[in-house]
């Protein structure tokens, strides 16, 4: 197993990149870095800025809870958004709170906030419904619109989910 220092060294160049979808960081796609820990290796692939490598990391096997925070920023990257949404939908019931937290966080990137309702629309639980309802308070129209559509879809999937008229 790699030492703590080896893991830190392997991840550092990738962590320095920011703005997955922005393309303005000046960081060129990092080469594949051999890492023995499969979770760290997959995180490196998810953060590689190479759309093919990211797609492979998203579709090779189901996401683990550890990987979700590394996938959420990918919702802002048009080239891989479809795969990111599908991967997140598969684990949405286990990470609903995390998704809702990012949806209602006003400092979260707009592109991420507007796409989270697409993920939560496949999670017909009370918690997801309540979280998407809270998203209706977003300052951006597109987020509110997608939350409205998501609420409608959630109600179709689970007719017990209803909005209290007094709210």
């Amino acid at each position: 197993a790699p030492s703590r220092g080896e893991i830190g060294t392997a991840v550092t160049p990738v962590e320095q990149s920011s703005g997955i979808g922005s393309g303005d960081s000046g960081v060129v796609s990092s080469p594949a870095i051999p890492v023995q820990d499969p979770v760290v290796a997959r995180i490196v692939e998810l953060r590689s800025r190479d759309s093919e490598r990211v797609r492979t990391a998203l579709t090779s096997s189901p996401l683990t809870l550890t990987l979700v925070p590394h996938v959420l920023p990918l919702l802002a990257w048009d080239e891989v958004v479809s795969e990111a949404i599908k991967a997140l939908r598969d684990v949405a019931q286990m990470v609903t709170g995390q998704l809702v937290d990012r949806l209602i966080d006003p400092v979260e990137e707009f592109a991420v906030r507007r796409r989270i309702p697409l993920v939560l629309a496949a999670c017909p639980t009370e918690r997801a419904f309540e979280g998407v309802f809270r998203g209706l308070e977003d300052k951006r129209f597109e987020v509110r619109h997608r939350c409205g559509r998501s609420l409608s879809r959630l109600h179709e999937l689970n007719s017990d989910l209803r909005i209290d008229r007094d709210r």
Side-chain angles (χ1 to χ4, degrees):
S3 71
R4 182 178 211 117
E6 289 171 334
I7 291 173
T9 303
V11 178
T12 300
V14 177
E15 287 179 343
Q16 291 174 352
S17 68
S18 62
I20 294 287
S22 64
D24 63 354
S25 69
V27 176
V28 180
S29 177
S30 62
I33 301 170
V35 178
Q36 292 178 356
D37 182 321
V39 174
V40 174
R42 197 157 172 204
I43 291 169
V44 169
E45 293 301 298
L46 288 167
R47 297 181 56 101
S48 71
R49 300 179 54 91
D50 176 321
S51 61
E52 287 306 312
R53 287 172 57 196
V54 172
R55 273 192 205 93
T56 300
L58 288 169
T59 59
S60 62
S61 62
L63 291 182
T64 62
L65 300 180
T66 306
L67 296 172
V68 170
H70 302 280
V71 174
L72 285 167
L74 299 175
L75 292 173
W77 189 7
D78 292 341
E79 285 187 64
V80 298
V81 71
S82 296
E83 292 86 355
I85 288 171
K86 169 141 183 23
L88 288 167
R89 280 180 174 171
D90 291 344
V91 296
Q93 289 197 17
M94 293 183 290
V95 297
T96 304
Q98 199 173 154
L99 291 165
V100 169
D101 287 347
R102 300 287 284 267
L103 170 64
I104 63 174
D105 182 352
V107 258
E108 179 61 68
E109 188 174 347
F110 165 66
V112 172
R113 288 194 336 270
R114 75 183 165 107
R115 289 174 170 158
I116 289 175
L118 301 174
V119 175
L120 289 171
C123 183
T125 65
E126 184 69 34
R127 188 168 189 186
F129 192 81
E130 286 294 321
V132 173
F133 185 79
R134 290 182 63 193
L136 292 173
E137 298 173 2
D138 197 278
K139 66 181 179 178
R140 299 289 299 260
F141 171 77
E142 190 170 354
V143 174
R144 294 190 313 268
H145 176 73
R146 288 201 174 172
C147 284
R149 292 186 65 187
S150 179
L151 287 171
S152 176
R153 177 69 180 143
L154 289 169
H155 181 69
E156 287 175 15
L157 295 172
N158 181 351
S159 60
D160 291 336
L161 298 173
R162 299 185 186 276
I163 298 171
D164 182 3
R165 296 255 182 227
D166 296 334
R167 293 177 93 181

